Amino acid sequence: MAPSIWRRLRTDNPNFRLQLVLRFSNRRMAADLNGTIWQHLQILKHTGHCWWGWWRAQNALDLQTDPSDEFSRLLSSGPAYIGIFSKSLGRAYIAKVDQVRTNHGEPLMTPERAATPAYYSSEAFPAWFRLIELRRIDDVEISEMSETEAAESGIQLEMLEDLFRELGTVEQTVIWLDDEVEPSLPTMEQVENSRILHISDLHFGESHEWQSSATRHPGRVTLADALERTFEQQGLAPTDTGVIVVSGDISDHGPDRNRYEDALAFFNRLFSMTGLSSKNLVITPGNHDVTRHVIDGGETQFDFSQRQYDDRIRQTEESYRQFCDELFGAPTVISRVRRFKTPSTELNFLQLNSTLPRDQYTKEYGFLGLAPLGQLEGLGKLYRDARARSEIAVNIAVQHHHVVSTVKVEHVPEAMASEIHDPVSTMVDQSNLVDWCTQYNIRLLLHGHQHKLKCRVISDRFSNADGLFVTDVIGAGTAGASWRADGEGMSFNLYDVGSENIRFRSFAMDRELTRQVPLRDAVLPTSGWMVPRGR
């Protein structure tokens, strides 16, 4: 049977929230449909693009008017991302389109026969789409054999819906989405101060170092007390803080409700101390905030990249999501963009969920998949728009897992030593993240995870057409865990973001609350350009 393809044209929205959904049905092109995607991809790799023909199904609801004007409007701002769902294979893809050819509703031949798969290059179709990118939604490499076995169509379709939005009835060839699901960009919060407080790895629970309801330590103060005292010792006013960043591991083990009760009490105290609220909070989950045993089972080879958000993975995040709902006073999204306007700059934060398990063996690695791409494109556009206005926008990504190891030796559980040969906590798809940082002008990448204070620089000379852009990757030490890498103490970071420089400082905290010199005190350029634009 012929493949049924869903595509959604992208408007100028960084989260892939679109206004038009098309269901494409190719005619019966060959007795064996395996390899259809593969053949298009081979042409794309060879020529840089390929043409895909749209056959308008007779038994579906079709466009009632000439589609040319609508296609032109949707592509007027440049190439458009589309989602593809092959019903015959039960698999979803993402592609990018830079041209659409129509003939006033009448069928036409392919604009470029050499860039069209031979099995249908001599047939006429109502529209032809030129693809310049094509990849699977689950980030699995497309090979000649990978597309010969059908997948669970329900799972793949849900992945497509997660990235875009609910598609509605699958019987329609064309679905016009007249209303936006959500604003393309979140509301920008006005803040009086450009100081960012960055804490990580609080570990409320058995391994929490400070006083709490779950850890009774006679004579010790709470984490909030320690922060307030350290601010006072350093001559810093907590109320000069504009944004609070927490990069994961709020709890010691997510399922225990008491641990999150302690966390809620801490954040309420922190808000009172700084004069802020949850509107000023950027927060991401850590590996201790999700329930890993839920995904353990007999299927050691199960590939979780096939479905990033199935019911089992939702269960892993249940306690963390409930905690966030209480903290923010409303249902929240884990991965999202947060925007703040300071007196000197715009601060654009992207909360990344790096805790998604990819497969059974590497479920403790960091993994992002392709879901953040839309949000990253949005940040890149915000950066370019600010430069066009001669204003300053600083893009900051926040996640839990580190891109490059920060400790001398990472721990590999003995039970897994025979199965894996790499550390168990770095990013599986770290190369993607490194490329994205410089491509989409991420000035700071803030993370935690290894309880080790570390600052590195990453860049890619060829990933940004405007020049050589640099991202500072700053790993925070722990603010509350009893276990600390390489014998380090507890600490937190401050970033004072100005129009020209970012002052980065890190401060130690000990149980005796003695005054200590800053662990780090450095000045970073606000601009990430190592090679100026135009050179």
Side-chain angles (χ1 to χ4, degrees):
M1 53 187 297
S4 297
I5 308 296
W6 279 93
R7 301 170 184 248
R8 181 185 301 218
L9 292 176
R10 173 183 178 271
T11 60
D12 190 18
N13 186 314
N15 292 321
F16 294 124
R17 297 297 192 254
L18 312 171
Q19 292 180 325
L20 175 65
V21 177
L22 301 179
R23 177 186 179 185
F24 284 74
S25 295
N26 291 335
R27 299 177 66 177
R28 190 176 186 84
M29 299 169 181
D32 183 5
L33 293 168
N34 293 332
T36 297
I37 293 288
W38 169 252
Q39 291 183 48
H40 284 83
L41 183 61
Q42 294 313 293
I43 294 174
L44 191 154
K45 287 181 176 179
H46 181 69
T47 65
H49 63 269
C50 68
W51 288 92
W52 192 305
W54 169 42
W55 175 60
R56 183 180 298 176
Q58 295 179 355
N59 61 346
L61 296 178
D62 298 323
L63 289 168
Q64 301 300 313
T65 59
D66 178 9
S68 305
D69 292 341
E70 291 297 332
F71 289 150
S72 298
R73 178 180 62 82
L74 289 170
L75 292 174
S76 61
S77 61
Y81 280 100
I82 62 175
I84 303 174
F85 181 70
S86 172
K87 191 173 182 180
S88 62
L89 291 175
R91 185 166 287 123
Y93 306 84
I94 301 171
K96 183 182 281 190
V97 172
D98 69 344
Q99 292 185 35
V100 181
R101 298 288 181 86
T102 60
N103 184 31
H104 307 291
E106 296 299 322
L108 74 161
M109 301 297 294
T110 173
E112 191 177 356
R113 190 165 182 173
T116 307
Y119 64 80
Y120 74 130
S121 61
S122 60
E123 298 190 55
F125 295 91
W128 289 90
F129 289 75
R130 192 170 92 153
L131 311 186
I132 57 175
E133 290 181 16
L134 179 61
R135 59 182 181 269
R136 277 175 53 157
I137 199 170
D138 54 22
D139 206 20
V140 173
E141 182 179 359
I142 298 175
S143 67
E144 190 170 7
M145 297 300 297
S146 68
E147 313 311 294
T148 61
E149 188 172 328
E152 279 191 57
S153 60
I155 289 178
Q156 294 271 313
L157 184 58
E158 287 175 10
M159 290 181 74
L160 192 61
E161 289 183 323
D162 279 345
L163 191 56
F164 296 93
R165 58 167 289 186
E166 289 187 12
L167 300 179
T169 174
V170 296
E171 297 305 318
Q172 290 183 319
T173 299
V174 178
I175 303 174
W176 297 100
L177 307 177
D178 296 327
D179 57 330
E180 291 286 345
V181 176
E182 60 185 44
S184 59
L185 292 173
T187 302
M188 183 179 292
E189 298 287 343
Q190 299 287 329
V191 293
E192 297 180 1
N193 302 292
S194 58
R195 175 173 292 167
I196 303 167
L197 166 62
H198 177 199
I199 56 178
S200 189
D201 295 85
L202 315 182
H203 282 269
F204 282 104
E206 286 81 354
S207 61
H208 186 64
E209 185 77 350
W210 307 98
Q211 179 71 273
S212 71
S213 63
T215 53
R216 303 289 184 178
H217 295 303
R220 298 187 194 176
V221 300
T222 65
L223 172 56
D225 291 329
L227 284 168
E228 187 172 39
R229 177 62 174 161
T230 304
F231 268 88
E232 179 183 343
Q233 291 172 341
Q234 300 294 333
L236 301 168
T239 52
D240 286 343
T241 305
V243 181
I244 299 170
V245 171
V246 183
S247 53
D249 277 0
I250 293 91
S251 74
D252 209 23
H253 293 287
D256 192 321
R257 185 64 195 161
N258 292 332
R259 296 178 176 91
Y260 281 130
E261 291 295 341
D262 283 337
L264 286 169
F266 163 74
F267 282 108
N268 287 333
R269 171 73 187 284
L270 186 60
F271 293 152
S272 176
M273 182 195 316
T274 57
L276 304 177
S277 70
S278 59
K279 291 182 178 180
N280 305 81
L281 178 65
V282 176
I283 189 169
T284 60
N287 61 305
H288 282 263
D289 294 312
V290 295
T291 316
R292 284 297 186 232
H293 68 78
V294 173
I295 62 174
D296 289 331
E299 68 287 72
T300 55
Q301 298 293 337
F302 187 86
D303 187 356
F304 288 95
S305 67
Q306 296 289 327
R307 178 70 176 97
Q308 291 185 3
Y309 282 106
D310 64 11
D311 289 340
R312 182 161 41 172
I313 294 179
R314 289 185 187 279
Q315 289 179 43
T316 71
E317 300 170 345
E318 183 177 358
S319 295
Y320 177 78
R321 288 178 179 275
Q322 291 177 356
F323 159 71
C324 286
D325 290 350
E326 290 191 42
L327 184 61
F328 289 92
T332 58
V333 178
I334 292 180
S335 296
R336 58 174 173 158
V337 174
R338 305 289 307 284
R339 305 180 66 202
F340 302 91
K341 178 64 176 177
T342 77
S344 58
T345 60
E346 293 180 10
L347 300 178
N348 303 313
F349 290 86
L350 174 56
Q351 299 178 177
L352 292 170
N353 182 6
S354 64
T355 68
L356 295 176
R358 183 174 183 272
D359 55 54
Q360 192 69 37
Y361 285 134
T362 61
K363 64 179 182 290
E364 294 301 335
Y365 282 74
F367 180 64
L368 294 174
L370 296 176
L373 268 176
Q375 296 166 324
L376 285 161
E377 284 205 340
L379 291 188
K381 185 176 185 302
L382 289 174
Y383 183 89
R384 293 189 299 272
D385 289 348
R387 293 187 74 191
R389 301 191 306 268
S390 298
E391 297 179 357
I392 298 170
V394 179
N395 292 342
I396 303 172
V398 181
Q399 66 178 57
H400 180 63
H401 290 80
H402 51 284
V403 182
V404 181
S405 180
T406 63
V407 297
K408 296 177 181 177
V409 178
E410 292 198 59
H411 174 63
V412 178
E414 184 177 354
M416 299 177 67
S418 62
E419 307 292 345
I420 61 174
H421 305 282
D422 297 317
V424 298
S425 54
T426 50
M427 295 291 296
V428 173
D429 49 353
Q430 58 186 331
S431 180
N432 276 348
L433 181 58
V434 169
D435 290 343
W436 294 341
C437 282
T438 52
Q439 182 177 358
Y440 298 112
N441 303 104
I442 303 299
R443 185 63 189 90
L444 300 176
L445 173 58
L446 310 181
H447 68 86
H449 189 44
Q450 286 192 321
H451 305 183
K452 174 84 172 184
L453 174 63
K454 200 77 171 182
C455 182
R456 285 190 170 93
V457 170
I458 60 174
S459 185
D460 181 346
R461 185 175 297 277
F462 304 105
S463 66
N464 196 305
D466 287 339
L468 186 60
F469 189 87
V470 171
T471 301
D472 278 279
V473 182
I474 302 179
T478 177
S482 58
W483 179 84
R484 297 181 290 276
D486 301 332
E488 289 204 354
M490 293 172 289
S491 63
F492 65 91
N493 295 342
L494 292 181
Y495 313 93
D496 290 281
V497 184
S499 58
E500 296 185 359
N501 297 307
I502 302 172
R503 188 180 183 187
F504 161 48
R505 287 174 288 178
S506 184
F507 299 96
M509 299 181 292
D510 62 15
R511 292 183 301 189
E512 288 71 36
L513 299 182
T514 56
R515 185 167 186 258
Q516 302 185 42
V517 296
L519 300 171
R520 299 284 190 279
D521 193 343
V523 176
L524 314 174
T526 301
S527 170
W529 296 108
M530 183 175 290
V531 177
R533 186 178 185 178
R535 287 185 55 184

